[in-house]
Amino acid sequence: MDLHLEFTVGEGRRGGLERALRDAVRDGRLTPGALLPATRRLAEELGVSRGTVKAAYDQLVAEGYLTARQGAGTQVAALPSADAEPPEAHARVRVPRFDLRPGSPDVATFPADAWLRALRRAIATAPSPAYDYGDPRGRIELRTALSDYLGRARGVLAPPERIVITSGYVQGLALLTRVLDGASIAMEDPGLPFHREVVRRAGGRVVPVGVDERGVRVEELTGPREVAAVVVTPAHQYPTGVTLHPERRRALTDWARARDGLIVEDDYDGEFRYDRQPVGALQGMAPGHVAYIGTASKTLGPALRLGWMVLPPHLVDAVADAKLHSDHHTETIGQLALAELITSHAYDRHVRACRLRYRRRRDRLVDLLGARSKVRGIAAGLHALVEVADEAEVLARAEEAGLAVGCLGEHWHEPGAVAAGRAQGLVVGYGTPRERVYEEALAVLGRVLEGG
């Protein structure tokens, strides 16, 4: 490795070298684990004797700045931070033994072999301009592949010129909010608090709109607080798990046409429906008034950071410009690999395999809880809502048992909603645990709900 050290001969060669190395370790220019040059090489570069370098290394080993082992060379030691917490502070952090929190898939199902094959084919056939700065809307290969896939699998009218590739749902929501320029945006109540915060930080004003057993309450959009857009999860509402009723779908698209409003469709869990054929996306009913957002986070894995928006024609240029000035464009190689995965139908095969896997997990959850609890939202997705009488009491038992679950109370817009008599429940995710621990996690959940 090349090593930049500053020292003056006037302070003594050995002392100057010791001080320069010590300073480089302290200020982080030499990071823990970094392998230092061999004594002969560094001596030649600095114009000093090898003995001087060896003596400096030995002194810093003795002081704990460096480590040296036979055959492994000399490395920078890990130094404790001056403001690091004492070890006992970390001992106080409780790591759950069983994680049934919602929001994540089983990342162990990532199709590594298929992805690697797609990546190799994509790189082998990619033109050289693919490695340059790209179109903020995304690679045409992926937009074309998505146009076909979304049309046949989700019923989305998605010509490539109306698709913008993003780094995920959060970026898509933030870009739309910025384009709407401070408008009031209705968001489902209950709903994910993090998404509300994304809208606020992007300059939007959040207005709650209620959700019941038929989905979002459309009549609340025509109240005294006019809104420009509404964000909905019609396929599998988060966190209640309800599917938007056909009458509500028609009412929502009628509202958008009558008020020239925008529906932001989060196709949450859209591919994972178990008891009947997947419900088509809302976008197909009003493509000129719906901004459809989907991602690969649940089907493949959140680490890929690949999402897509299908936009009404009048929003495409504005969103593409906002994307350009946000991060210029989404990374290209992953886009090409995903396009290859989709066009080869390996993506379809993976989704079908995951659907079967998650349905079996859902069935085991229902078998466990069906006789003792009211479970909602089980027709689709990767989570279910288990109604309880006292969230705080059940969560305390879960923590004591080493079980992590979500709760309905944290999703209401009003912080005191639970105390005000709103519904209470556990949001149980069955995508996160590895297969080998899932059964035990369910057994612990059963004991927690029974009060044991």
PDB file of all heavy atoms in Angstrom, residues 62-94:
ATOM      1  N   ALA A  62       4.180  -1.747  21.002  1.00  0.00           N
ATOM      2  CA  ALA A  62       4.219  -1.728  22.463  1.00  0.00           C
ATOM      3  C   ALA A  62       3.186  -0.773  23.048  1.00  0.00           C
ATOM      4  O   ALA A  62       2.622  -1.021  24.123  1.00  0.00           O
ATOM      5  CB  ALA A  62       5.625  -1.346  22.941  1.00  0.00           C
ATOM      6  N   GLU A  63       2.908   0.338  22.338  1.00  0.00           N
ATOM      7  CA  GLU A  63       1.930   1.323  22.818  1.00  0.00           C
ATOM      8  C   GLU A  63       0.494   0.915  22.499  1.00  0.00           C
ATOM      9  O   GLU A  63      -0.451   1.548  22.963  1.00  0.00           O
ATOM     10  CB  GLU A  63       2.221   2.689  22.186  1.00  0.00           C
ATOM     11  CG  GLU A  63       3.544   3.296  22.636  1.00  0.00           C
ATOM     12  CD  GLU A  63       3.813   4.626  21.950  1.00  0.00           C
ATOM     13  OE1 GLU A  63       2.886   5.159  21.289  1.00  0.00           O
ATOM     14  OE2 GLU A  63       4.933   5.148  22.069  1.00  0.00           O
ATOM     15  N   GLY A  64       0.313  -0.120  21.664  1.00  0.00           N
ATOM     16  CA  GLY A  64      -1.033  -0.586  21.333  1.00  0.00           C
ATOM     17  C   GLY A  64      -1.632   0.021  20.090  1.00  0.00           C
ATOM     18  O   GLY A  64      -2.792  -0.255  19.763  1.00  0.00           O
ATOM     19  N   TYR A  65      -0.846   0.834  19.363  1.00  0.00           N
ATOM     20  CA  TYR A  65      -1.360   1.424  18.126  1.00  0.00           C
ATOM     21  C   TYR A  65      -1.317   0.431  16.969  1.00  0.00           C
ATOM     22  O   TYR A  65      -2.120   0.537  16.042  1.00  0.00           O
ATOM     23  CB  TYR A  65      -0.557   2.675  17.748  1.00  0.00           C
ATOM     24  CG  TYR A  65      -0.847   3.858  18.633  1.00  0.00           C
ATOM     25  CD1 TYR A  65      -0.070   4.120  19.762  1.00  0.00           C
ATOM     26  CD2 TYR A  65      -1.899   4.723  18.350  1.00  0.00           C
ATOM     27  CE1 TYR A  65      -0.324   5.205  20.577  1.00  0.00           C
ATOM     28  CE2 TYR A  65      -2.173   5.820  19.169  1.00  0.00           C
ATOM     29  CZ  TYR A  65      -1.383   6.042  20.284  1.00  0.00           C
ATOM     30  OH  TYR A  65      -1.651   7.119  21.098  1.00  0.00           O
ATOM     31  N   LEU A  66      -0.355  -0.480  16.993  1.00  0.00           N
ATOM     32  CA  LEU A  66      -0.193  -1.462  15.929  1.00  0.00           C
ATOM     33  C   LEU A  66      -0.186  -2.870  16.522  1.00  0.00           C
ATOM     34  O   LEU A  66       0.024  -3.049  17.725  1.00  0.00           O
ATOM     35  CB  LEU A  66       1.116  -1.231  15.160  1.00  0.00           C
ATOM     36  CG  LEU A  66       1.366   0.154  14.565  1.00  0.00           C
ATOM     37  CD1 LEU A  66       2.725   0.196  13.887  1.00  0.00           C
ATOM     38  CD2 LEU A  66       0.267   0.543  13.581  1.00  0.00           C
ATOM     39  N   THR A  67      -0.433  -3.851  15.665  1.00  0.00           N
ATOM     40  CA  THR A  67      -0.280  -5.249  16.039  1.00  0.00           C
ATOM     41  C   THR A  67       0.620  -5.917  15.023  1.00  0.00           C
ATOM     42  O   THR A  67       0.650  -5.522  13.850  1.00  0.00           O
ATOM     43  CB  THR A  67      -1.639  -5.984  16.072  1.00  0.00           C
ATOM     44  OG1 THR A  67      -2.212  -5.956  14.762  1.00  0.00           O
ATOM     45  CG2 THR A  67      -2.587  -5.345  17.077  1.00  0.00           C
ATOM     46  N   ALA A  68       1.391  -6.898  15.464  1.00  0.00           N
ATOM     47  CA  ALA A  68       2.287  -7.615  14.560  1.00  0.00           C
ATOM     48  C   ALA A  68       2.224  -9.097  14.871  1.00  0.00           C
ATOM     49  O   ALA A  68       2.313  -9.500  16.036  1.00  0.00           O
ATOM     50  CB  ALA A  68       3.717  -7.090  14.714  1.00  0.00           C
ATOM     51  N   ARG A  69       2.023  -9.904  13.834  1.00  0.00           N
ATOM     52  CA  ARG A  69       2.029 -11.359  13.998  1.00  0.00           C
ATOM     53  C   ARG A  69       2.870 -11.975  12.895  1.00  0.00           C
ATOM     54  O   ARG A  69       2.887 -11.480  11.759  1.00  0.00           O
ATOM     55  CB  ARG A  69       0.607 -11.932  13.910  1.00  0.00           C
ATOM     56  CG  ARG A  69      -0.271 -11.554  15.080  1.00  0.00           C
ATOM     57  CD  ARG A  69      -1.607 -12.219  14.960  1.00  0.00           C
ATOM     58  NE  ARG A  69      -2.167 -12.027  13.614  1.00  0.00           N
ATOM     59  CZ  ARG A  69      -3.373 -12.467  13.247  1.00  0.00           C
ATOM     60  NH1 ARG A  69      -4.116 -13.112  14.106  1.00  0.00           N
ATOM     61  NH2 ARG A  69      -3.806 -12.277  12.031  1.00  0.00           N
ATOM     62  N   GLN A  70       3.543 -13.050  13.243  1.00  0.00           N
ATOM     63  CA  GLN A  70       4.379 -13.746  12.278  1.00  0.00           C
ATOM     64  C   GLN A  70       3.540 -14.203  11.088  1.00  0.00           C
ATOM     65  O   GLN A  70       2.525 -14.884  11.246  1.00  0.00           O
ATOM     66  CB  GLN A  70       5.042 -14.960  12.950  1.00  0.00           C
ATOM     67  CG  GLN A  70       6.070 -15.672  12.083  1.00  0.00           C
ATOM     68  CD  GLN A  70       7.329 -14.838  11.885  1.00  0.00           C
ATOM     69  OE1 GLN A  70       7.687 -14.041  12.759  1.00  0.00           O
ATOM     70  NE2 GLN A  70       7.971 -15.014  10.751  1.00  0.00           N
ATOM     71  N   GLY A  71       3.939 -13.785   9.905  1.00  0.00           N
ATOM     72  CA  GLY A  71       3.251 -14.185   8.686  1.00  0.00           C
ATOM     73  C   GLY A  71       2.068 -13.319   8.323  1.00  0.00           C
ATOM     74  O   GLY A  71       1.531 -13.439   7.220  1.00  0.00           O
ATOM     75  N   ALA A  72       1.638 -12.460   9.236  1.00  0.00           N
ATOM     76  CA  ALA A  72       0.478 -11.604   8.954  1.00  0.00           C
ATOM     77  C   ALA A  72       0.856 -10.153   8.762  1.00  0.00           C
ATOM     78  O   ALA A  72       0.007  -9.326   8.434  1.00  0.00           O
ATOM     79  CB  ALA A  72      -0.550 -11.728  10.076  1.00  0.00           C
ATOM     80  N   GLY A  73       2.115  -9.802   8.983  1.00  0.00           N
ATOM     81  CA  GLY A  73       2.551  -8.423   8.820  1.00  0.00           C
ATOM     82  C   GLY A  73       2.162  -7.544   9.988  1.00  0.00           C
ATOM     83  O   GLY A  73       1.721  -8.014  11.048  1.00  0.00           O
ATOM     84  N   THR A  74       2.300  -6.245   9.772  1.00  0.00           N
ATOM     85  CA  THR A  74       1.990  -5.246  10.805  1.00  0.00           C
ATOM     86  C   THR A  74       0.717  -4.521  10.421  1.00  0.00           C
ATOM     87  O   THR A  74       0.593  -4.010   9.304  1.00  0.00           O
ATOM     88  CB  THR A  74       3.142  -4.247  10.955  1.00  0.00           C
ATOM     89  OG1 THR A  74       4.354  -4.952  11.249  1.00  0.00           O
ATOM     90  CG2 THR A  74       2.854  -3.258  12.064  1.00  0.00           C
ATOM     91  N   GLN A  75      -0.247  -4.474  11.362  1.00  0.00           N
ATOM     92  CA  GLN A  75      -1.549  -3.876  11.083  1.00  0.00           C
ATOM     93  C   GLN A  75      -1.892  -2.825  12.123  1.00  0.00           C
ATOM     94  O   GLN A  75      -1.351  -2.818  13.239  1.00  0.00           O
ATOM     95  CB  GLN A  75      -2.644  -4.948  11.094  1.00  0.00           C
ATOM     96  CG  GLN A  75      -2.521  -5.976   9.992  1.00  0.00           C
ATOM     97  CD  GLN A  75      -3.601  -7.027  10.090  1.00  0.00           C
ATOM     98  OE1 GLN A  75      -3.598  -7.835  11.018  1.00  0.00           O
ATOM     99  NE2 GLN A  75      -4.527  -7.016   9.145  1.00  0.00           N
ATOM    100  N   VAL A  76      -2.815  -1.946  11.766  1.00  0.00           N
ATOM    101  CA  VAL A  76      -3.320  -0.941  12.694  1.00  0.00           C
ATOM    102  C   VAL A  76      -4.281  -1.619  13.667  1.00  0.00           C
ATOM    103  O   VAL A  76      -5.181  -2.364  13.252  1.00  0.00           O
ATOM    104  CB  VAL A  76      -4.030   0.199  11.941  1.00  0.00           C
ATOM    105  CG1 VAL A  76      -4.611   1.211  12.927  1.00  0.00           C
ATOM    106  CG2 VAL A  76      -3.073   0.874  10.967  1.00  0.00           C
ATOM    107  N   ALA A  77      -4.082  -1.362  14.959  1.00  0.00           N
ATOM    108  CA  ALA A  77      -4.942  -1.942  15.986  1.00  0.00           C
ATOM    109  C   ALA A  77      -6.243  -1.151  16.097  1.00  0.00           C
ATOM    110  O   ALA A  77      -6.323   0.016  15.706  1.00  0.00           O
ATOM    111  CB  ALA A  77      -4.227  -1.963  17.331  1.00  0.00           C
ATOM    112  N   ALA A  78      -7.281  -1.799  16.622  1.00  0.00           N
ATOM    113  CA  ALA A  78      -8.562  -1.133  16.875  1.00  0.00           C
ATOM    114  C   ALA A  78      -8.460  -0.376  18.186  1.00  0.00           C
ATOM    115  O   ALA A  78      -8.192  -0.964  19.239  1.00  0.00           O
ATOM    116  CB  ALA A  78      -9.687  -2.155  16.941  1.00  0.00           C
ATOM    117  N   LEU A  79      -8.650   0.943  18.127  1.00  0.00           N
ATOM    118  CA  LEU A  79      -8.558   1.768  19.328  1.00  0.00           C
ATOM    119  C   LEU A  79      -9.952   2.122  19.823  1.00  0.00           C
ATOM    120  O   LEU A  79     -10.842   2.406  19.016  1.00  0.00           O
ATOM    121  CB  LEU A  79      -7.790   3.062  19.031  1.00  0.00           C
ATOM    122  CG  LEU A  79      -6.340   2.890  18.556  1.00  0.00           C
ATOM    123  CD1 LEU A  79      -5.735   4.260  18.292  1.00  0.00           C
ATOM    124  CD2 LEU A  79      -5.525   2.153  19.601  1.00  0.00           C
ATOM    125  N   PRO A  80     -10.189   2.120  21.135  1.00  0.00           N
ATOM    126  CA  PRO A  80     -11.497   2.521  21.655  1.00  0.00           C
ATOM    127  C   PRO A  80     -11.737   3.994  21.418  1.00  0.00           C
ATOM    128  O   PRO A  80     -10.831   4.808  21.553  1.00  0.00           O
ATOM    129  CB  PRO A  80     -11.396   2.199  23.156  1.00  0.00           C
ATOM    130  CG  PRO A  80      -9.929   2.229  23.451  1.00  0.00           C
ATOM    131  CD  PRO A  80      -9.239   1.742  22.210  1.00  0.00           C
ATOM    132  N   SER A  81     -12.953   4.343  21.018  1.00  0.00           N
ATOM    133  CA  SER A  81     -13.303   5.745  20.833  1.00  0.00           C
ATOM    134  C   SER A  81     -13.381   6.448  22.181  1.00  0.00           C
ATOM    135  O   SER A  81     -13.790   5.864  23.186  1.00  0.00           O
ATOM    136  CB  SER A  81     -14.648   5.846  20.112  1.00  0.00           C
ATOM    137  OG  SER A  81     -15.113   7.168  20.106  1.00  0.00           O
ATOM    138  N   ALA A  82     -13.016   7.708  22.174  1.00  0.00           N
ATOM    139  CA  ALA A  82     -13.034   8.468  23.435  1.00  0.00           C
ATOM    140  C   ALA A  82     -14.437   8.606  23.995  1.00  0.00           C
ATOM    141  O   ALA A  82     -14.630   8.706  25.201  1.00  0.00           O
ATOM    142  CB  ALA A  82     -12.433   9.858  23.206  1.00  0.00           C
ATOM    143  N   ASP A  83     -15.439   8.615  23.094  1.00  0.00           N
ATOM    144  CA  ASP A  83     -16.821   8.758  23.581  1.00  0.00           C
ATOM    145  C   ASP A  83     -17.609   7.458  23.478  1.00  0.00           C
ATOM    146  O   ASP A  83     -18.837   7.453  23.480  1.00  0.00           O
ATOM    147  CB  ASP A  83     -17.549   9.860  22.800  1.00  0.00           C
ATOM    148  CG  ASP A  83     -17.567   9.593  21.304  1.00  0.00           C
ATOM    149  OD1 ASP A  83     -16.913   8.621  20.866  1.00  0.00           O
ATOM    150  OD2 ASP A  83     -18.226  10.368  20.582  1.00  0.00           O
ATOM    151  N   ALA A  84     -16.889   6.343  23.370  1.00  0.00           N
ATOM    152  CA  ALA A  84     -17.574   5.051  23.257  1.00  0.00           C
ATOM    153  C   ALA A  84     -18.278   4.700  24.555  1.00  0.00           C
ATOM    154  O   ALA A  84     -17.816   5.051  25.643  1.00  0.00           O
ATOM    155  CB  ALA A  84     -16.570   3.953  22.897  1.00  0.00           C
ATOM    156  N   GLU A  85     -19.393   4.005  24.424  1.00  0.00           N
ATOM    157  CA  GLU A  85     -20.124   3.577  25.613  1.00  0.00           C
ATOM    158  C   GLU A  85     -19.353   2.471  26.315  1.00  0.00           C
ATOM    159  O   GLU A  85     -18.676   1.660  25.679  1.00  0.00           O
ATOM    160  CB  GLU A  85     -21.497   3.036  25.208  1.00  0.00           C
ATOM    161  CG  GLU A  85     -22.461   4.091  24.735  1.00  0.00           C
ATOM    162  CD  GLU A  85     -23.814   3.484  24.487  1.00  0.00           C
ATOM    163  OE1 GLU A  85     -24.033   2.951  23.401  1.00  0.00           O
ATOM    164  OE2 GLU A  85     -24.654   3.532  25.414  1.00  0.00           O
ATOM    165  N   PRO A  86     -19.432   2.405  27.624  1.00  0.00           N
ATOM    166  CA  PRO A  86     -18.790   1.303  28.332  1.00  0.00           C
ATOM    167  C   PRO A  86     -19.454  -0.011  27.981  1.00  0.00           C
ATOM    168  O   PRO A  86     -20.619  -0.032  27.556  1.00  0.00           O
ATOM    169  CB  PRO A  86     -19.025   1.662  29.812  1.00  0.00           C
ATOM    170  CG  PRO A  86     -20.228   2.545  29.798  1.00  0.00           C
ATOM    171  CD  PRO A  86     -20.148   3.333  28.521  1.00  0.00           C
ATOM    172  N   PRO A  87     -18.753  -1.138  28.114  1.00  0.00           N
ATOM    173  CA  PRO A  87     -19.317  -2.438  27.734  1.00  0.00           C
ATOM    174  C   PRO A  87     -20.640  -2.735  28.401  1.00  0.00           C
ATOM    175  O   PRO A  87     -21.519  -3.345  27.798  1.00  0.00           O
ATOM    176  CB  PRO A  87     -18.223  -3.425  28.180  1.00  0.00           C
ATOM    177  CG  PRO A  87     -16.964  -2.625  28.203  1.00  0.00           C
ATOM    178  CD  PRO A  87     -17.360  -1.246  28.609  1.00  0.00           C
ATOM    179  N   GLU A  88     -20.813  -2.287  29.630  1.00  0.00           N
ATOM    180  CA  GLU A  88     -22.060  -2.623  30.313  1.00  0.00           C
ATOM    181  C   GLU A  88     -23.259  -1.936  29.668  1.00  0.00           C
ATOM    182  O   GLU A  88     -24.388  -2.394  29.797  1.00  0.00           O
ATOM    183  CB  GLU A  88     -21.987  -2.240  31.797  1.00  0.00           C
ATOM    184  CG  GLU A  88     -21.711  -0.751  32.070  1.00  0.00           C
ATOM    185  CD  GLU A  88     -20.213  -0.464  32.151  1.00  0.00           C
ATOM    186  OE1 GLU A  88     -19.423  -1.296  31.685  1.00  0.00           O
ATOM    187  OE2 GLU A  88     -19.864   0.592  32.703  1.00  0.00           O
ATOM    188  N   ALA A  89     -23.008  -0.813  28.941  1.00  0.00           N
ATOM    189  CA  ALA A  89     -24.123  -0.142  28.269  1.00  0.00           C
ATOM    190  C   ALA A  89     -24.684  -1.019  27.164  1.00  0.00           C
ATOM    191  O   ALA A  89     -25.888  -1.081  26.940  1.00  0.00           O
ATOM    192  CB  ALA A  89     -23.662   1.204  27.689  1.00  0.00           C
ATOM    193  N   HIS A  90     -23.800  -1.704  26.428  1.00  0.00           N
ATOM    194  CA  HIS A  90     -24.260  -2.589  25.364  1.00  0.00           C
ATOM    195  C   HIS A  90     -24.987  -3.802  25.936  1.00  0.00           C
ATOM    196  O   HIS A  90     -25.885  -4.349  25.313  1.00  0.00           O
ATOM    197  CB  HIS A  90     -23.070  -3.037  24.511  1.00  0.00           C
ATOM    198  CG  HIS A  90     -22.425  -1.903  23.776  1.00  0.00           C
ATOM    199  ND1 HIS A  90     -22.963  -1.356  22.640  1.00  0.00           N
ATOM    200  CD2 HIS A  90     -21.289  -1.193  24.047  1.00  0.00           C
ATOM    201  CE1 HIS A  90     -22.199  -0.374  22.208  1.00  0.00           C
ATOM    202  NE2 HIS A  90     -21.177  -0.257  23.039  1.00  0.00           N
ATOM    203  N   ALA A  91     -24.613  -4.224  27.085  1.00  0.00           N
ATOM    204  CA  ALA A  91     -25.265  -5.377  27.705  1.00  0.00           C
ATOM    205  C   ALA A  91     -26.718  -5.079  28.041  1.00  0.00           C
ATOM    206  O   ALA A  91     -27.529  -5.990  28.146  1.00  0.00           O
ATOM    207  CB  ALA A  91     -24.503  -5.800  28.960  1.00  0.00           C
ATOM    208  N   ARG A  92     -27.022  -3.774  28.176  1.00  0.00           N
ATOM    209  CA  ARG A  92     -28.391  -3.412  28.518  1.00  0.00           C
ATOM    210  C   ARG A  92     -29.333  -3.471  27.317  1.00  0.00           C
ATOM    211  O   ARG A  92     -30.545  -3.441  27.458  1.00  0.00           O
ATOM    212  CB  ARG A  92     -28.410  -2.005  29.124  1.00  0.00           C
ATOM    213  CG  ARG A  92     -27.732  -1.906  30.488  1.00  0.00           C
ATOM    214  CD  ARG A  92     -28.105  -0.603  31.171  1.00  0.00           C
ATOM    215  NE  ARG A  92     -27.672   0.558  30.433  1.00  0.00           N
ATOM    216  CZ  ARG A  92     -26.510   1.178  30.631  1.00  0.00           C
ATOM    217  NH1 ARG A  92     -25.649   0.726  31.542  1.00  0.00           N
ATOM    218  NH2 ARG A  92     -26.180   2.248  29.929  1.00  0.00           N
ATOM    219  N   VAL A  93     -28.787  -3.478  26.078  1.00  0.00           N
ATOM    220  CA  VAL A  93     -29.603  -3.530  24.877  1.00  0.00           C
ATOM    221  C   VAL A  93     -30.086  -4.965  24.658  1.00  0.00           C
ATOM    222  O   VAL A  93     -29.277  -5.879  24.510  1.00  0.00           O
ATOM    223  CB  VAL A  93     -28.797  -3.043  23.651  1.00  0.00           C
ATOM    224  CG1 VAL A  93     -29.662  -3.143  22.399  1.00  0.00           C
ATOM    225  CG2 VAL A  93     -28.313  -1.616  23.860  1.00  0.00           C
ATOM    226  N   ARG A  94     -31.374  -5.144  24.625  1.00  0.00           N
ATOM    227  CA  ARG A  94     -31.933  -6.490  24.509  1.00  0.00           C
ATOM    228  C   ARG A  94     -32.164  -6.828  23.047  1.00  0.00           C
ATOM    229  O   ARG A  94     -32.972  -6.197  22.365  1.00  0.00           O
ATOM    230  CB  ARG A  94     -33.230  -6.590  25.301  1.00  0.00           C
ATOM    231  CG  ARG A  94     -33.074  -6.199  26.758  1.00  0.00           C
ATOM    232  CD  ARG A  94     -34.333  -6.472  27.538  1.00  0.00           C
ATOM    233  NE  ARG A  94     -34.547  -7.899  27.683  1.00  0.00           N
ATOM    234  CZ  ARG A  94     -35.471  -8.416  28.468  1.00  0.00           C
ATOM    235  NH1 ARG A  94     -36.255  -7.622  29.172  1.00  0.00           N
ATOM    236  NH2 ARG A  94     -35.610  -9.725  28.554  1.00  0.00           N
TER     237      ARG A  94
END
